[in-house]
Amino acid sequence: MSSLLKLAVWKFASCDGCQLSLLNLEDNLLDIVGRVQIAYFLEASRDVAPGPYDLSLVEGSITTPEDAHRIKQVRRRSKLVVTIGACATAGGIQALRNFTDVKDYIAAVYARPEYIKTLEQSTPIAEHIKVDYQLPGCPINKNQLLELIQALLQGRTPRFADESVCVACKLRGNACVMVADGVPCLGPVTHAGCGALCPSYHRGCYGCYGPKETANTAALSARFRQLGLSEADIVRLFRTFTAYAEPFRQESQAHE
C-alpha cells in the first residue's frame, strides 16, 4: 500500500450517520488528511477519483437487487473493505422485515407498491462479499474509525477492545441498572464501544454495537424472566438495531 491511502466511502441502505463519523473526527482528521486521499465520498464532496481504492468504508445493508450487484463492484475495486455501523454489519433496523413478509410492509407504506423493487431480506455486507474488518455501532465510534485508519497507515493490525458494555459501565463507576433498578439491559451480551451511554443515564443498553463474542443470551433471557418480562417483551428487546445478528436473532426466535 502506498504512503497515500486512497479512500472511498460508500452508502447502501442506511441513515448516513456512520459516514458522518468520518467528518466528526474534526481535529483528528487534520492529523491524517495529509496521508489520505478521499477519492470517493459523495456525502462530503462531488469530486470523484477512479478506483481501485486502498480502503473502502461501506455503510448500510443490502436491500435491493441493485445493491447486491453494486457491492460486488465495490469489492472488485477495493484492496480492503471495512463495514461501518449496525446496518452494514448486522442488517440494521431495516432487517426487522426479515422476521415477516416484506410485501406486507410495501403494501402498507407505498401507494403504488408495484414500483418497488426490493429483496426479501435486508442483509449485512458480509453475506455478499468478503469483508476485511467490521466496525459495529449505531453510529460507529469515531475513535475506533481513527484507530483503523491510523493502523492501516502504519502497516499494523487495528486494535479494538474485546469487552462488553458491562466493562464500560464499571470503568465509568455506574451502578448496574439491572441489579439496582430492575431495568432490562442488553449490556452483558453487547459489544462495548459507546462508552456505556444509555446505562450512564439509567437506561438499559439497547444493543447498538451488536452481540459480543460468545454472548450468553440464554442466561440473560432467564434473568429477564426473573424481572417479570413476558416472552413478547424479550423478543422486542433483542429486535432493535442489530436484530439480525445471529446470537440476537436466534435468541429472539427462541421466545416467539
Side-chain angles (χ1 to χ4, degrees):
M1 189 177 293
S2 66
S3 58
L4 190 64
L5 186 80
K6 196 172 185 180
L7 173 67
V9 184
W10 309 87
K11 171 183 166 59
F12 287 82
S14 61
C15 71
D16 291 22
C18 291
Q19 293 182 78
L20 293 176
S21 294
L22 178 60
L23 300 178
N24 287 340
L25 288 174
E26 299 172 335
D27 291 344
N28 296 120
L29 191 60
L30 298 177
D31 297 334
I32 61 174
V33 71
R35 299 189 60 189
V36 175
Q37 176 193 1
I38 300 180
Y40 182 94
F41 187 9
L42 297 183
E43 185 80 17
S45 174
R46 290 179 295 179
D47 294 335
V48 174
Y53 305 103
D54 294 316
L55 170 63
S56 278
L57 302 177
V58 180
E59 177 191 82
S61 64
I62 303 300
T63 61
T64 67
E66 180 185 358
D67 286 345
H69 174 70
R70 187 161 62 98
I71 192 59
K72 291 181 173 60
Q73 292 180 316
V74 170
R75 177 71 269 186
R76 285 193 293 269
R77 298 164 66 185
S78 309
K79 294 180 181 177
L80 294 175
V81 172
V82 177
T83 51
I84 57 173
C87 295
T89 61
I93 284 287
Q94 54 270 33
L96 290 173
R97 76 192 205 187
N98 300 353
F99 299 99
T100 185
D101 188 341
V102 69
K103 296 183 180 63
D104 294 338
Y105 290 112
I106 295 173
V109 173
Y110 297 99
R112 300 296 298 272
E114 63 270 23
Y115 293 136
I116 303 301
K117 294 182 179 179
T118 190
L119 299 172
E120 290 294 324
Q121 294 188 327
S122 168
T123 46
I125 301 299
E127 290 199 14
H128 298 266
I129 62 168
K130 176 183 177 293
V131 170
D132 298 288
Y133 296 101
Q134 300 196 66
L135 295 183
C138 188
I140 59 171
N141 183 317
K142 67 178 184 180
N143 295 318
Q144 291 182 348
L145 179 59
L146 181 64
E147 162 62 15
L148 171 78
I149 295 174
Q150 289 179 330
L152 295 178
L153 289 172
Q154 296 165 6
R156 60 175 174 84
T157 301
R159 295 187 291 267
F160 303 119
D162 176 19
E163 58 195 28
S164 70
V165 172
C166 291
V167 174
C169 269
K170 297 296 185 293
L171 292 172
R172 292 189 64 159
N174 293 341
C176 176
V177 296
M178 196 152 52
V179 173
D181 304 314
V183 175
C185 179
L186 291 177
V189 297
T190 298
H191 205 289
C194 64
L197 180 62
C198 290
S200 296
Y201 289 90
H202 308 290
R203 302 178 68 176
C205 169
Y206 291 95
C208 301
Y209 276 70
K212 187 188 179 299
E213 294 80 358
T214 65
N216 192 344
T217 55
L220 184 60
S221 291
R223 176 60 180 150
F224 289 157
R225 283 193 291 268
Q226 291 174 353
L227 293 174
L229 272 66
S230 67
E231 295 296 282
D233 291 333
I234 295 174
V235 170
R236 283 191 290 270
L237 276 173
F238 283 103
R239 289 188 181 172
T240 55
F241 302 93
T242 54
Y244 203 61
E246 185 174 355
F248 287 2
R249 179 176 75 246
Q250 290 182 350
E251 190 61 32
S252 70
Q253 290 173 329
H255 297 274
E256 286 185 313

